[in-house]
Each structure stands twice: as C-alpha cells, then as structure tokens.
Amino acid sequence: MPENLSGRLLIASPYLGDGNFLRSVIFIVRHDPEGAFGLAINRPTENRFRDVVALSTTAGGEPREDDFIYRGGPVEGPLLALHNLAGIGDPCGPVSLADPSSPLGPGESVTGGAKFTIEDHPADPFGSMSIDLGNPPAWITGDDDHLRILLHRRDAKVRYIANYSGWGPQQLDEELRVGGWLVGKPDSDILFGDADKSWELAVRRCGHDILHSMAPGVHFGDPNLN
C-alpha cells in the first residue's frame, strides 16, 4: 500500500477540474486499504453552529464568534468538529494499528494516534500504563456535548464541519498517481486559519517542502520579493 496519509493535508492541484474540490484543502482523518475519509477545511458556509443548537446559559462564557459551519465535502454526513483541544473526542494522526511500520517497542500498542505503553512496576503487581498522545495535529468529535463545549471554549481552535469527502479502495491512490493532489503538512494556521488563504498558503509551503527535499540545507526565498 502507498504511504498512509492519515493526519496529512490533501491540497487540490491547480489542474484538478472537479468542481467539488476546486482549490480545496482537505484534512485526511483516515486512510487505509478500505479507502479514505477527509474533511475540507476551507469551504465555509453562512450557517452557524449556534443557529442549529440550543445555547445553554450555564455553559460558561460567551460563545465563540467563529462558529460558521464548513462544507467538508460532497458526501452527506454528520456535523463534526475538528479542533486542537486535547482529550475532546479522538486524536487524528498518521499512526494506526494497521500500520506495520509503526515504531513500537515491547508492551506498546497504538490506537487512533495515541500510544499506550504497559510498564512493569515493582510497587504495582498489575503494572502501569502511560499514554503518549503523540501530539496529533487535530482532534475530531461528533458528540453533541463536545460540540457545545467547544462553542464556549474561545481558547480552542475549532472548525465545525458538515458532510465529508470519501474515497473507495485505492481511489485516492490513483488520484494521487495522476497528479490530482499535492500532499502537505497539517500546519495549525492552515487547518484553523483564514479559509480564503488556506489553499494558496498550503500550495506555497508544499512547494517549499519539495524544494528542500531536493536540496537539503539550501534556503529558498520568496520569489515575490525579487
């Protein structure tokens, strides 16, 4: 199987003519032999989360202003929240139980980007467990209570997203092979920043990464400054 793109960005190639994905930036939540599931993060609508949920006066604090609902893709699906508040929902990352290349040591297992390590401890006959969340680029949840909590957590970065982008077995791999998509890093300012600038920023950074891989250590300036 080609590279597992879970936790990475798909950036629509300038040559991709599909109107559903024109200039889209998609965060890949899951990529495995059964297909891929992702959420477009730069397609805002005029709908707001506060308009579809009853606000509670006991939730604490004023609701966030950036609660617009984004269109995650052409496939009908539930309302989800992509965010950076650790512990709310499930971590999104490149590591999964099905990844044979995962660098696991004795007693370690991996679930959804979180590494669980079982350790022997002389004072505890049952051993102990430590959890390394692996610094996932984002967390995802569709739980109603979580969605309401995030509305009032103005310190968190959040994207409310309805519908999703999906691919069947090997479908995304073929689109990558013919050049329909670029693959980039899930930087926070792209995931949660200005949606109008996400595509241009992602393309520019992806180009810089390609140049650096070709010539490590060489600094490439911004050609717009020439």
Side-chain angles (χ1 to χ4, degrees), residues 40-147:
I41 51 87
N42 66 332
R43 294 290 185 93
T45 71
E46 295 182 354
N47 300 321
R48 306 187 71 160
F49 179 63
R50 68 183 63 193
D51 295 333
V52 299
V53 65
L55 296 181
S56 171
T57 57
T58 62
E62 291 295 322
R64 61 190 314 117
E65 292 299 324
D66 56 342
D67 64 329
F68 290 97
I69 298 175
Y70 285 65
R71 184 173 180 266
V75 184
E76 185 175 350
L79 180 63
L80 303 170
L82 195 68
H83 63 92
N84 71 341
L85 195 60
I88 301 294
D90 298 313
C92 303
V95 184
S96 71
L97 285 170
D99 185 355
S101 63
S102 301
L104 301 181
E108 293 181 344
S109 62
V110 175
T111 302
K115 181 186 293 184
F116 299 81
T117 304
I118 306 297
E119 301 170 335
D120 292 328
H121 194 283
D124 186 349
F126 298 102
S128 61
M129 182 175 71
S130 64
I131 302 176
D132 176 10
L133 296 176
N135 191 28
W139 293 69
I140 189 170
T141 182
D143 181 86
D144 288 344
D145 290 336
H146 291 170
L147 298 179

Side-chain angles (χ1 to χ4, degrees), residues 187-190 200-210:
D187 296 329
S188 179
D189 49 349
I190 296 177
E200 290 86 350
L201 181 59
V203 169
R204 186 164 65 248
R205 290 189 179 174
C206 186
H208 282 188
D209 288 343
I210 293 173

